[in-house]
Amino acid sequence: MQLGVTDYIDCAHFLPGHPKCGSLHGHTYKIEFIIKGEKGSDGMILDFDAVKEKLRAVLSEYDHRSLNDFIDYPSVENVCEMIRDKLEDQLEFPFTLRIWEGNGKWTEL
Ligand SMILES: [Zn+2]
């Protein structure tokens, strides 16, 4: 089964040398965090509150910050890898992470 939560962060970034995205600007990023697992005897894979808390703990590090403070080239693909690595440290379940950069653009790991 899969279980998912969604959260948002607002971040500034720029992509050095990129013709369109080379100047500092911002996005709202939507983060979809989908966990794969089996239900336990309590009828749950994980408690939603616990999942939201784990995701928020990681995201709060980046919210209202410039992503260039964390990685040199914060394309949405690189941001997705960065957040995936942080979440992996906190969770024993396999998961999928989909990150939307504004509307209509996303990447998934
Ligand atoms: Zn951008």
Side-chain angles (χ1 to χ4, degrees):
M1 290 182 101
Q2 297 189 101
L3 172 78
V5 297
T6 303
D7 202 345
Y8 297 85
I9 51 174
D10 295 305
C11 298
H13 85 153
F14 65 95
L15 301 179
H18 190 283
K20 185 179 169 195
C21 305
S23 296
L24 186 67
H25 61 281
H27 296 284
T28 296
Y29 292 86
K30 178 166 92 173
I31 292 92
E32 296 181 308
F33 183 35
I34 302 155
I35 292 168
K36 299 175 186 71
E38 296 305 319
K39 269 189 313 180
S41 56
D42 60 355
M44 297 179 181
I45 301 170
L46 277 174
D47 192 292
F48 272 128
D49 284 345
V51 180
K52 282 178 165 177
E53 210 170 276
K54 282 180 196 293
L55 182 59
R56 184 36 46 188
V58 168
L59 295 182
S60 61
E61 194 178 332
Y62 307 108
D63 200 12
H64 288 77
R65 300 280 306 272
S66 171
L67 294 170
N68 295 76
D69 291 347
F70 301 96
I71 43 179
D72 292 336
Y73 198 84
S75 62
V76 69
E77 294 90 334
N78 288 339
V79 171
C80 197
E81 279 180 350
M82 174 176 75
I83 293 175
R84 188 265 324 265
D85 290 349
K86 292 273 182 172
L87 285 166
E88 266 180 355
D89 292 344
Q90 302 216 8
L91 198 74
E92 62 277 17
F93 290 86
F95 63 86
T96 299
L97 194 62
R98 179 178 289 192
I99 300 192
W100 295 74
E101 189 182 83
N103 288 320
K105 298 173 290 180
W106 57 264
T107 189
E108 184 180 291
L109 263 172

